[in-house]
Amino acid sequence: MRSPFAFLSALLSPAPGRSVSHDHDARLTHMALHDQETGLGNRLSLERLAAGGEPVYVVLFGVDRFEVLRNAIGYDSMARLLTTLGQRLSGLTGRSVARVGAGVLGLVFQAEDDDEAVHMAARVCEAAQEPVILNGAPVDIALTAGIARTGETSRSVASPVDRASIAVDQARAAHRQAALFDAVRYGDPAGNLSLISELMAALDNGEFSLNYQPKYDFRAECVTAVEALARWTHPRRGCVSPDVFVVMAEETGHIRPLTEWVIHQAIHDQAELGRAGHDLMMSVNVSGRLLSDESFADFALAAVKASGARLCFEITETAVVGNPEVALHLLDRFAEAGISVSLDDYGSGLSSLTYLKQIRADELKIDKSFILGLDDSARDALLVKSTIDLAHGLGMKVTAEGVETPTALALLRGMGCDMAQGYLIGRPVSLPVLVERLGGPVHQATSAA
Ligand code: C2E
Ligand code: CA
Ligand code: CA
């Protein structure tokens, strides 16, 4: 049978007319199938084993915190560590071991079913995690295993070695020793890719719209503000969640045009609400990435100046924590232009006191995860009450989001909270529905407060 690596031999062989020895050919084949640094098999060799015919499980073992470890002990020691680890894995399983990535070794084995494969991989991990002795000193290692079945087709990831590699990440994310590739959790990145390319055209094609969710003021006993929430109605996929397209827009540099469109539309709709007799503060979500973008600030300031709109920018802490100087400078510019700032999702991240110390915000929005548990968690209630007092002490108003029950609403009022937002007050709705409700059902719902 013609060797699948004949093309390599042909490419590397001496010019015609000179004899090609069998040794030379064998050496080239060996090189093509082995990792130079460790002498273990390479990815190609593992792929060949996986493609052997019988369905098998491909198991990859990722060395946890590989880069940190390599920087600590150096490249040469790392190569020796991997060689030792490879021999260990081979000894434990009786299989040949390949180096598939910088800190990833792999092998194939057979198992009765998926559960047994995961169980076996976890046991191998545990057994192989003994410290490796390098120059007389023990080096601690930890391994995570990712597993994929061969002979199975996955729309998004064709190669079982790639699927096993993704499974290593999935196992780490789930804090598990070993995990089988989970296609559902991996989603459909190829589909996402086409969505990204459609995002910009969607703005021009009018596929985006805004929904408005009311914010109820306890003292005024009525709705005094609304939050604009973007909606994308895709012609074939239907409604795409903002949790999907906002992240996508952030990752691909489309968040600025999207947010500028939202601001433009929200200002327009605020004027329309005003004409209908509803003078409402307008909150807009501003992604953290834009807090380092001066030209976005230029746009926002010009838009506010031209319209006299009353805007509040809801921001999350990640932007400020990541690049405080730049973010704080832009926040100052917003404040000068009369744009309020709200700290959104407060409590959902790491919410440090440094964050509160750094930012002069007008509003703190307590994350809905605390408010949804308010009815039956004394602990959540204590945290909410303390946060309200803390924010008040710093001169901020407090909005509670995710208010779904009359009990939560009453508790918040008792705690001195300033504003409430949530399904009880009103779900996000289109502008015409909002206008209709402001004259009717919204007041009915809120009068229960
Ligand atoms: P967010 O700013 O925290 O918005 C509140 C989300 O909670 C909204 O989801 C809203 O529908 C939902 N919600 C409101 N009240 C309740 C309640 O009582 N119970 C429960 N369980 N949920 C409630 P939505 O509209 O799906 O938006 C999700 C996220 O997408 C928003 O979270 C926001 O971070 C982002 N987003 C939406 N529009 C924009 C936008 O124009 N720009 C940016 N940068 N992000 C946006
Ligand atoms: Ca928000
Ligand atoms: Ca929020």
Side-chain angles (χ1 to χ4, degrees):
M1 197 185 81
R2 190 177 148 86
S3 152
F5 303 104
F7 73 98
L8 264 178
S9 308
L11 275 178
L12 296 170
S13 65
R18 291 188 23 209
S19 70
V20 178
S21 72
H22 179 73
D23 282 358
H24 179 75
D25 220 14
R27 233 183 22 251
L28 285 173
T29 307
H30 185 271
M31 273 168 66
L33 291 173
H34 287 82
D35 175 53
Q36 304 260 312
E37 267 188 317
T38 58
L40 298 167
N42 63 11
R43 184 189 164 107
L44 203 56
S45 74
L46 188 69
E47 278 170 350
R48 285 183 86 192
L49 289 170
E54 285 269 295
V56 285
Y57 288 92
V58 173
V59 189
L60 298 190
F61 298 90
V63 177
D64 294 346
R65 295 160 54 80
F66 172 76
E67 279 171 23
V68 177
L69 193 59
R70 188 177 59 188
N71 288 341
I73 66 174
Y75 278 65
D76 287 347
S77 300
M78 195 68 206
R80 280 193 286 135
L81 184 147
L82 288 171
T83 310
T84 308
L85 185 61
Q87 287 159 353
R88 215 179 254 179
L89 289 170
S90 185
L92 284 164
T93 59
R95 302 275 159 175
S96 32
V97 175
R99 184 183 187 188
V100 176
V104 185
L105 305 184
L107 49 84
V108 299
F109 65 42
Q110 275 162 327
E112 279 291 308
D113 55 25
D114 294 351
D115 286 347
E116 191 188 78
V118 174
H119 185 66
M120 277 164 63
R123 277 186 30 215
V124 174
C125 271
E126 273 160 26
Q129 284 183 149
E130 289 276 296
V132 175
I133 311 294
L134 289 175
N135 298 339
V139 177
D140 279 337
I141 50 164
L143 300 175
T144 303
I147 305 141
R149 227 177 303 128
T150 65
E152 176 176 83
T153 49
S154 160
R155 227 166 15 112
S156 46
V157 202
S159 150
V161 177
D162 285 341
R163 289 203 296 275
S165 173
I166 294 161
V168 173
D169 293 335
Q170 291 180 331
R172 284 188 180 135
H175 301 289
R176 282 162 53 195
Q177 182 89 75
L180 191 75
F181 172 69
D182 182 339
V184 176
R185 254 183 65 207
Y186 186 60
D188 179 16
N192 288 348
L193 207 60
S194 79
L195 259 188
I196 290 169
S197 66
E198 288 163 346
L199 190 76
M200 281 310 286
L203 266 180
D204 296 335
N205 296 343
E207 291 168 24
F208 276 92
S209 61
L210 289 183
N211 269 357
Y212 293 100
Q213 188 175 31
K215 290 167 84 171
Y216 175 83
D217 186 317
F218 281 108
R219 193 182 292 260
E221 297 189 345
C222 63
V223 170
T224 56
V226 284
E227 176 179 0
L229 292 159
R231 296 287 175 261
W232 180 6
T233 313
H234 190 279
R236 289 185 318 282
R237 296 169 194 248
C239 224
V240 184
S241 161
D243 289 328
V244 172
F245 69 74
V246 168
V247 175
M248 209 177 265
E250 283 175 343
E251 297 300 331
T252 55
H254 290 129
I255 192 68
R256 192 169 117 203
L258 176 66
T259 310
E260 291 184 356
W261 177 84
V262 171
I263 290 175
H264 183 80
Q265 187 65 40
I267 289 178
H268 172 272
D269 290 351
Q270 187 179 39
E272 193 155 327
L273 282 163
R275 284 191 289 278
H278 305 293
D279 182 19
L280 300 175
M281 178 74 153
M282 177 66 73
S283 287
V284 170
N285 291 287
V286 173
S287 162
R289 303 218 170 199
L290 292 173
L291 294 185
S292 53
D293 186 338
E294 290 278 355
S295 41
F296 166 72
D298 293 341
F299 165 87
L301 265 48
V304 167
K305 201 168 163 208
S307 62
R310 285 204 303 133
L311 293 189
C312 172
F313 284 173
E314 296 194 2
I315 60 164
T316 50
E317 68 193 288
T318 37
V320 188
V321 173
N323 197 351
E325 286 90 33
V326 185
L328 294 179
H329 166 66
L330 283 204
L331 291 177
D332 281 344
R333 287 190 66 194
F334 295 145
E336 275 165 36
I339 299 171
S340 304
V341 170
S342 170
L343 306 181
D344 202 356
D345 299 342
Y346 188 80
S348 67
L350 296 172
S351 305
S352 69
L353 290 178
T354 316
Y355 175 52
L356 288 184
K357 187 177 146 184
Q358 278 176 334
I359 293 195
R360 283 181 302 282
D362 305 274
E363 180 192 72
L364 186 145
K365 239 179 143 171
I366 303 180
D367 190 62
K368 53 179 170 282
S369 55
F370 295 92
I371 310 301
L372 293 170
L374 208 55
D375 291 15
D376 25 52
S377 162
R379 213 175 152 78
D380 280 0
L382 191 64
L383 285 169
V384 170
K385 169 73 174 124
S386 313
T387 306
I388 292 172
D389 292 345
L390 176 67
H392 284 166
L394 292 168
M396 286 185 261
K397 296 258 184 208
V398 179
T399 293
E401 63 171 26
V403 179
E404 293 188 352
T405 64
T407 313
L409 192 71
L411 280 170
L412 287 163
R413 182 215 284 281
M415 291 176 186
C417 186
D418 302 284
M419 313 268 282
Q421 187 181 11
Y423 294 165
L424 180 75
I425 323 289
R427 288 180 181 256
V429 288
S430 66
L431 183 72
V433 177
L434 177 75
V435 171
E436 194 188 303
R437 298 226 174 130
L438 282 172
V442 168
H443 283 304
Q444 271 170 28
T446 53
S447 63

